[in-house]
Amino acid sequence: MNAVIRTDHLRVPGHSAPVSREQMLTRVARFAERQANLGAFPDLKQQVGVRSVSYRLSPGQTGGPAPIDAPHNFHLSISTLSKGIRPTVHSHPYNEVFMPLNARFRVFWGETLEDSLDLDPFDVISVPAGVFRTFENLEDHPGYMMAIFDHGGDPHTGIVVPPEVFEQFYRNWNPGMVGVQG
């Protein structure tokens, strides 16, 4: 049996790029220090205390305020939701990866959210681009859902919402205020 040699996988000798402790600290997002960004989505104001979004990594802070804003090809956020609370139904023009951290969540998808499945902590689902989605915490305690936006640019561009969601939340919303609306 002849193994194919992948020359692009070969290792080469070299040295580490220098990075100081101070520089490394700009690349740390402490879970205990997260702060809700009520300006991330217009429906968050109606769900204060039962739902929040906190970007942990957002290149150039294009998603919103984030402790880590260094260039990356993705964004990472953690949503905190009380039992039964759902983010507004929407789709992105890129994949979005979800992983519950401390609770079971139900993920809904489709035009009328006709499909769903349950995820246990640390299960992962990748929702394809263009698919309406939402999720809800199934537990009696606040649940944390990590989301990774498979997009290094502004994650708020190209979002599609159902017509009734547009009328309720977005018709008079100022998208130039993402991340700073209070």
Side-chain angles (χ1 to χ4, degrees):
M1 171 190 255
N2 291 336
V4 175
I5 296 175
R6 297 273 317 258
T7 58
D8 55 335
H9 285 208
L10 293 175
R11 305 309 192 254
V12 297
H15 301 279
S16 175
V19 62
S20 70
R21 179 174 181 77
E22 291 76 25
Q23 290 169 318
M24 191 61 81
L25 286 173
T26 69
R27 300 174 78 92
V28 174
R30 304 262 184 219
F31 185 78
E33 296 172 3
R34 71 192 186 288
Q35 294 181 354
N37 177 0
L38 295 179
F41 304 100
D43 63 318
L44 286 173
K45 293 178 194 173
Q46 294 180 350
Q47 297 178 331
V48 171
V50 294
R51 176 175 162 235
S52 68
V53 175
S54 171
Y55 277 91
R56 312 311 298 141
L57 186 154
S58 181
Q61 299 196 25
T62 54
I68 302 171
D69 63 1
H72 287 79
N73 289 319
F74 66 95
H75 297 259
L76 185 146
S77 69
I78 296 177
S79 294
T80 306
L81 290 89
S82 294
K83 184 176 185 174
I85 300 299
R86 297 181 185 180
T88 303
V89 177
H90 64 283
S91 72
H92 293 277
Y94 48 82
N95 299 321
E96 191 171 14
V97 178
F98 296 101
M99 184 172 73
L101 300 179
N102 71 329
R104 290 179 55 245
F105 276 81
R106 181 163 294 142
V107 176
F108 300 87
W109 73 91
E111 184 67 26
T112 61
L113 306 179
E114 60 274 12
D115 292 304
S116 69
L117 59 83
D118 294 352
L119 298 177
D120 290 323
F122 303 106
D123 289 347
V124 174
I125 186 170
S126 175
V127 179
V131 174
F132 282 160
R133 84 286 303 273
T134 191
F135 50 85
E136 72 180 44
N137 176 6
L138 301 175
E139 305 284 344
D140 289 327
H141 58 83
Y144 305 123
M145 176 70 89
M146 182 174 69
I148 299 172
F149 302 83
D150 189 12
H151 179 64
D154 185 341
H156 298 286
T157 58
I159 294 175
V160 175
V161 297
E164 63 276 9
V165 171
F166 177 82
E167 291 301 325
Q168 184 176 3
F169 295 111
Y170 291 96
R171 177 167 292 288
N172 298 311
W173 188 59
N174 179 352
M177 297 296 289
V178 167
V180 296
Q181 296 184 84

